[in-house]
mmCIF file of all heavy atoms in Angstrom:
data_model
loop_
_atom_site.group_PDB
_atom_site.id
_atom_site.type_symbol
_atom_site.label_atom_id
_atom_site.label_comp_id
_atom_site.label_asym_id
_atom_site.label_seq_id
_atom_site.Cartn_x
_atom_site.Cartn_y
_atom_site.Cartn_z
ATOM 1 N N ASP A 15 -12.651 30.279 19.869
ATOM 2 C CA ASP A 15 -13.458 29.065 19.753
ATOM 3 C C ASP A 15 -13.087 28.301 18.480
ATOM 4 O O ASP A 15 -12.981 28.886 17.407
ATOM 5 C CB ASP A 15 -14.951 29.421 19.671
ATOM 6 C CG ASP A 15 -15.544 29.696 21.042
ATOM 7 O OD1 ASP A 15 -15.852 28.725 21.727
ATOM 8 O OD2 ASP A 15 -15.687 30.882 21.397
ATOM 9 N N ARG A 25 -9.066 2.845 6.222
ATOM 10 C CA ARG A 25 -8.296 1.951 7.083
ATOM 11 C C ARG A 25 -7.073 1.430 6.334
ATOM 12 O O ARG A 25 -7.093 1.278 5.109
ATOM 13 C CB ARG A 25 -9.171 0.776 7.539
ATOM 14 C CG ARG A 25 -10.306 1.197 8.451
ATOM 15 C CD ARG A 25 -11.220 0.031 8.784
ATOM 16 N NE ARG A 25 -10.550 -0.976 9.604
ATOM 17 C CZ ARG A 25 -11.169 -2.056 10.089
ATOM 18 N NH1 ARG A 25 -12.459 -2.255 9.826
ATOM 19 N NH2 ARG A 25 -10.518 -2.926 10.818
ATOM 20 N N ASN A 35 -9.592 3.782 -17.590
ATOM 21 C CA ASN A 35 -8.833 3.456 -18.800
ATOM 22 C C ASN A 35 -8.568 1.960 -18.946
ATOM 23 O O ASN A 35 -7.827 1.528 -19.839
ATOM 24 C CB ASN A 35 -7.505 4.228 -18.824
ATOM 25 C CG ASN A 35 -6.593 3.859 -17.657
ATOM 26 O OD1 ASN A 35 -6.898 2.977 -16.856
ATOM 27 N ND2 ASN A 35 -5.463 4.546 -17.559
ATOM 28 N N ASN A 43 -2.484 1.369 1.374
ATOM 29 C CA ASN A 43 -2.587 2.395 2.411
ATOM 30 C C ASN A 43 -2.015 1.819 3.705
ATOM 31 O O ASN A 43 -2.615 0.931 4.313
ATOM 32 C CB ASN A 43 -4.056 2.797 2.599
ATOM 33 C CG ASN A 43 -4.225 3.944 3.567
ATOM 34 O OD1 ASN A 43 -3.471 4.912 3.528
ATOM 35 N ND2 ASN A 43 -5.206 3.847 4.456
ATOM 36 N N PRO A 46 -0.205 4.392 9.711
ATOM 37 C CA PRO A 46 0.657 5.566 9.903
ATOM 38 C C PRO A 46 1.899 5.239 10.723
ATOM 39 O O PRO A 46 1.831 4.531 11.737
ATOM 40 C CB PRO A 46 -0.256 6.548 10.644
ATOM 41 C CG PRO A 46 -1.636 6.176 10.210
ATOM 42 C CD PRO A 46 -1.608 4.673 10.075
ATOM 43 N N PHE A 55 0.134 -1.721 -10.113
ATOM 44 C CA PHE A 55 -0.624 -1.713 -11.355
ATOM 45 C C PHE A 55 -0.435 -3.012 -12.122
ATOM 46 O O PHE A 55 0.606 -3.666 -12.013
ATOM 47 C CB PHE A 55 -0.177 -0.558 -12.265
ATOM 48 C CG PHE A 55 -0.370 0.806 -11.680
ATOM 49 C CD1 PHE A 55 0.606 1.395 -10.895
ATOM 50 C CD2 PHE A 55 -1.536 1.512 -11.919
ATOM 51 C CE1 PHE A 55 0.435 2.659 -10.363
ATOM 52 C CE2 PHE A 55 -1.719 2.785 -11.395
ATOM 53 C CZ PHE A 55 -0.730 3.357 -10.611
ATOM 54 N N PRO A 73 9.234 -2.137 -11.997
ATOM 55 C CA PRO A 73 8.599 -3.436 -12.229
ATOM 56 C C PRO A 73 8.430 -4.202 -10.922
ATOM 57 O O PRO A 73 9.239 -4.080 -9.997
ATOM 58 C CB PRO A 73 9.588 -4.147 -13.158
ATOM 59 C CG PRO A 73 10.402 -3.065 -13.776
ATOM 60 C CD PRO A 73 10.488 -1.986 -12.750
ATOM 61 N N LEU A 81 11.891 -9.892 -1.980
ATOM 62 C CA LEU A 81 11.106 -10.314 -0.824
ATOM 63 C C LEU A 81 11.048 -11.833 -0.681
ATOM 64 O O LEU A 81 10.339 -12.349 0.182
ATOM 65 C CB LEU A 81 9.683 -9.755 -0.920
ATOM 66 C CG LEU A 81 9.558 -8.231 -0.833
ATOM 67 C CD1 LEU A 81 8.106 -7.801 -1.045
ATOM 68 C CD2 LEU A 81 10.064 -7.718 0.507
ATOM 69 N N SER A 98 5.678 -15.309 -17.254
ATOM 70 C CA SER A 98 6.728 -15.142 -18.266
ATOM 71 C C SER A 98 6.835 -13.686 -18.713
ATOM 72 O O SER A 98 7.940 -13.184 -18.959
ATOM 73 C CB SER A 98 6.437 -16.036 -19.470
ATOM 74 O OG SER A 98 6.497 -17.400 -19.093
ATOM 75 N N TYR A 112 15.711 2.849 -5.939
ATOM 76 C CA TYR A 112 15.978 2.696 -4.498
ATOM 77 C C TYR A 112 16.512 3.998 -3.917
ATOM 78 O O TYR A 112 16.147 4.388 -2.803
ATOM 79 C CB TYR A 112 16.974 1.557 -4.290
ATOM 80 C CG TYR A 112 17.385 1.328 -2.857
ATOM 81 C CD1 TYR A 112 16.444 0.991 -1.884
ATOM 82 C CD2 TYR A 112 18.716 1.441 -2.466
ATOM 83 C CE1 TYR A 112 16.821 0.778 -0.568
ATOM 84 C CE2 TYR A 112 19.098 1.221 -1.161
ATOM 85 C CZ TYR A 112 18.160 0.893 -0.215
ATOM 86 O OH TYR A 112 18.534 0.681 1.088
ATOM 87 N N ALA A 116 14.163 5.203 -0.791
ATOM 88 C CA ALA A 116 14.684 4.994 0.562
ATOM 89 C C ALA A 116 15.275 6.286 1.117
ATOM 90 O O ALA A 116 15.856 7.090 0.385
ATOM 91 C CB ALA A 116 15.739 3.902 0.547
ATOM 92 N N ASP A 117 15.131 6.465 2.437
ATOM 93 C CA ASP A 117 15.746 7.642 3.056
ATOM 94 C C ASP A 117 17.240 7.401 3.263
ATOM 95 O O ASP A 117 17.753 6.297 3.061
ATOM 96 C CB ASP A 117 15.051 7.983 4.377
ATOM 97 C CG ASP A 117 15.067 6.837 5.380
ATOM 98 O OD1 ASP A 117 16.018 6.023 5.351
ATOM 99 O OD2 ASP A 117 14.136 6.749 6.195
ATOM 100 N N SER A 133 14.135 -4.394 4.028
ATOM 101 C CA SER A 133 14.041 -3.652 5.286
ATOM 102 C C SER A 133 12.842 -2.723 5.295
ATOM 103 O O SER A 133 12.095 -2.645 6.282
ATOM 104 C CB SER A 133 15.328 -2.840 5.497
ATOM 105 O OG SER A 133 15.219 -1.985 6.620
ATOM 106 N N ALA A 138 6.508 -2.105 7.045
ATOM 107 C CA ALA A 138 5.198 -1.671 6.559
ATOM 108 C C ALA A 138 4.093 -2.594 7.086
ATOM 109 O O ALA A 138 4.228 -3.815 7.044
ATOM 110 C CB ALA A 138 5.184 -1.654 5.035
ATOM 111 N N VAL A 140 -0.367 -3.255 7.536
ATOM 112 C CA VAL A 140 -1.755 -2.960 7.173
ATOM 113 C C VAL A 140 -2.665 -3.600 8.212
ATOM 114 O O VAL A 140 -2.208 -4.339 9.094
ATOM 115 C CB VAL A 140 -2.094 -3.482 5.756
ATOM 116 C CG1 VAL A 140 -1.352 -2.690 4.695
ATOM 117 C CG2 VAL A 140 -1.776 -4.967 5.626
ATOM 118 N N TYR A 153 -3.386 -10.787 6.422
ATOM 119 C CA TYR A 153 -2.019 -10.277 6.306
ATOM 120 C C TYR A 153 -1.866 -8.993 7.103
ATOM 121 O O TYR A 153 -2.705 -8.108 7.047
ATOM 122 C CB TYR A 153 -1.686 -9.976 4.842
ATOM 123 C CG TYR A 153 -1.738 -11.167 3.921
ATOM 124 C CD1 TYR A 153 -2.723 -11.259 2.936
ATOM 125 C CD2 TYR A 153 -0.797 -12.181 3.998
ATOM 126 C CE1 TYR A 153 -2.764 -12.337 2.062
ATOM 127 C CE2 TYR A 153 -0.838 -13.260 3.136
ATOM 128 C CZ TYR A 153 -1.826 -13.335 2.167
ATOM 129 O OH TYR A 153 -1.866 -14.400 1.313
ATOM 130 N N LYS A 167 -4.766 -10.821 -7.177
ATOM 131 C CA LYS A 167 -6.137 -10.311 -7.180
ATOM 132 C C LYS A 167 -6.370 -9.387 -8.364
ATOM 133 O O LYS A 167 -7.447 -9.412 -8.978
ATOM 134 C CB LYS A 167 -6.460 -9.589 -5.868
ATOM 135 C CG LYS A 167 -7.893 -9.051 -5.847
ATOM 136 C CD LYS A 167 -8.369 -8.684 -4.481
ATOM 137 C CE LYS A 167 -9.821 -8.223 -4.521
ATOM 138 N NZ LYS A 167 -10.370 -7.929 -3.191
ATOM 139 N N GLN A 172 -9.173 -8.808 -13.619
ATOM 140 C CA GLN A 172 -9.107 -8.749 -15.082
ATOM 141 C C GLN A 172 -9.805 -9.963 -15.711
ATOM 142 O O GLN A 172 -10.489 -9.843 -16.735
ATOM 143 C CB GLN A 172 -7.645 -8.691 -15.527
ATOM 144 C CG GLN A 172 -7.410 -8.812 -17.016
ATOM 145 C CD GLN A 172 -7.824 -7.574 -17.780
ATOM 146 O OE1 GLN A 172 -8.226 -6.581 -17.188
ATOM 147 N NE2 GLN A 172 -7.722 -7.622 -19.090
ATOM 148 N N ASP A 194 -8.755 11.873 19.056
ATOM 149 C CA ASP A 194 -7.786 11.192 18.199
ATOM 150 C C ASP A 194 -6.797 12.196 17.591
ATOM 151 O O ASP A 194 -5.598 11.899 17.493
ATOM 152 C CB ASP A 194 -8.514 10.453 17.074
ATOM 153 C CG ASP A 194 -9.518 9.449 17.602
ATOM 154 O OD1 ASP A 194 -9.112 8.526 18.321
ATOM 155 O OD2 ASP A 194 -10.724 9.586 17.298
#
Side-chain angles (χ1 to χ4, degrees):
D15 279 280
R25 294 175 67 176
N35 62 4
N43 185 43
F55 299 88
L81 294 176
S98 296
Y112 177 61
D117 58 29
S133 173
V140 291
Y153 298 112
K167 180 164 183 176
Q172 172 72 4
D194 302 300

